[in-house]
Amino acid sequence: MAAAFSRSCFALCLLFVLLASPSTGQLSSSFYSTTCPTLEATVLLTMTTAVLQEPRIGASILRLFFHDCFVNGCDASVLLDDTATFTGEKSAAPNANSLRGFDVIDDIKSAVELGCPGTVSCADILAIAARDGVSLLGGPSWTVLLGRRDATTASASDANSNLPGPGSSLSQLISSFAAKGLNARDMTALSGAHTIGQARCVSFRSHIYNDANIDPTFAAQLQGTCPSSGGDNNLSPLDAQTPDTFDNAYYENLVAQQGLLHSDQELFNGGSQDAVVQEYSTDASTFFGDFATAMVTMGNISPLTGASGQIRLNCRTVN
């Protein structure tokens, strides 16, 4: 009887631990409420300083988060440097010479480690920083669900095959996002991230020289920055109206056939998303709400939780 009681007690205790643990696979807004209550304030302070110094960094961190989540889930694999055993995502074609903001994530991680050593994942830091970058530039805020853990490897080939490119068609964009659990409206809302930031000439050259669905005056202006050959790294704002403000001007640009990338203008080109673009172009609050909702959905793509992965002490390297 004593043995049976002992087994029952053990089972009940194990059940209690599993139910009480915040690491059972479900992301939560209160994941660090007791283990690192200063987390969000720490991230916001560092992001505020970074954005004040360079507004573009808000867009760069947001892009880091997107490129992380679309490749094997939101696991901070995009932050890993190459090693002798793997070539990581930084070396992939969509990321090489274009992803930036790694130093800002390093600064945030260092600040968080001072207050909460070995507790907060780089994946969660990136998710919060992306939200704060948007909010600091005038965009919406949202509750970031937390509890992700960090990957221990990364793959350039996975990044090459999972990230939609600037030459994507509408059907390719819809399919790419659908594969990650995001519907067409989510895709169109998330594309509104291009209301901030800049793109390299190599990303939009074909659009401004070869496509017909572009305002001729707009194309001619861009050709002054982006020659038909050379100047691959010359930059132009994704939203020429308000490049450092998160607003709905991106959609106004699309209606005027002034999308910078081929993939941008595909959203308003006689296809299924024309009505959504029209709606967002005249209703910023609806865009903000849909963007925030889609960001939460994207942040929940295949996170590592529980005993999976690790809490990296340095976001660039595996422990």
Side-chain angles (χ1 to χ4, degrees):
M1 182 179 292
F5 176 81
S6 178
R7 286 195 298 271
S8 297
C9 182
F10 174 77
L12 286 172
C13 290
L14 179 60
L15 177 62
F16 175 78
V17 169
L18 289 173
L19 291 174
S21 172
S23 304
T24 56
Q26 181 73 35
L27 300 184
S28 165
S29 60
S30 58
F31 189 85
Y32 298 106
S33 59
T34 57
T35 57
C36 193
T38 59
L39 170 61
E40 298 217 17
T42 302
V43 177
L44 179 59
L45 179 61
T46 307
M47 281 299 295
T48 299
T49 301
V51 170
L52 284 173
Q53 291 176 343
E54 183 196 13
R56 184 188 172 200
I57 204 65
S60 298
I61 298 297
L62 179 58
R63 185 166 182 254
L64 266 182
F65 184 54
F66 170 76
H67 281 225
D68 182 39
C69 290
F70 261 59
V71 183
N72 300 320
C74 309
D75 60 2
S77 55
V78 74
L79 304 177
L80 286 170
D81 289 338
D82 294 351
T83 71
T85 58
F86 66 80
T87 300
E89 295 166 33
K90 291 180 179 180
S91 302
N95 297 335
N97 302 314
S98 65
L99 280 189
R100 56 197 303 274
F102 298 105
D103 54 335
V104 175
I105 299 301
D106 290 341
D107 290 344
I108 297 172
K109 178 64 172 174
S110 295
V112 170
E113 283 295 311
L114 285 176
C116 315
T119 302
V120 181
S121 68
C122 299
D124 279 343
I125 285 172
L126 182 54
I128 298 170
R131 186 271 313 273
D132 289 350
V134 169
S135 180
L136 288 165
L137 293 176
S141 187
W142 57 90
T143 300
V144 178
L145 302 181
L146 302 167
R148 302 169 190 81
R149 288 168 65 84
D150 297 325
T152 56
T153 189
S155 168
S157 61
D158 287 347
N160 283 326
S161 61
N162 279 272
L163 291 166
S168 298
S169 67
L170 179 59
S171 63
Q172 289 171 330
L173 290 170
I174 292 173
S175 295
S176 178
F177 279 71
K180 307 300 178 183
L182 296 156
N183 62 34
R185 190 177 180 94
D186 293 329
M187 180 273 295
T188 300
L190 289 172
S191 296
H194 288 179
T195 190
I196 52 176
Q198 301 185 58
R200 297 184 300 153
C201 166
V202 68
S203 298
F204 60 86
R205 176 182 288 120
S206 179
H207 180 49
I208 65 174
Y209 285 98
N210 301 325
D211 289 348
N213 61 340
I214 183 170
D215 176 77
T217 302
F218 179 65
Q221 291 171 346
L222 289 168
Q223 288 168 8
T225 301
C226 180
S228 57
S229 62
D232 283 1
N233 291 321
N234 294 351
L235 297 172
S236 286
L238 286 155
D239 166 19
Q241 287 194 66
T242 52
D244 294 329
T245 302
F246 196 101
D247 54 22
N248 66 331
Y250 167 79
Y251 299 101
E252 296 174 359
N253 296 338
L254 298 186
V255 172
Q257 291 194 314
Q258 294 181 4
L260 182 65
L261 308 179
H262 175 88
S263 56
D264 288 329
Q265 198 58 56
E266 279 287 286
L267 302 182
F268 190 80
N269 192 38
S272 64
Q273 297 308 292
D274 281 16
V276 181
V277 170
Q278 286 274 17
E279 181 182 9
Y280 290 163
S281 74
T282 59
D283 188 345
S285 63
T286 295
F287 161 50
F288 277 21
D290 286 357
F291 182 86
T293 298
M295 284 295 293
V296 173
T297 302
M298 186 178 76
N300 201 36
I301 297 175
S302 305
L304 297 173
T305 59
S308 300
Q310 62 180 212
I311 304 299
R312 276 188 237 138
L313 302 180
N314 180 332
C315 291
R316 295 175 183 257
T317 62
V318 175
N319 294 345

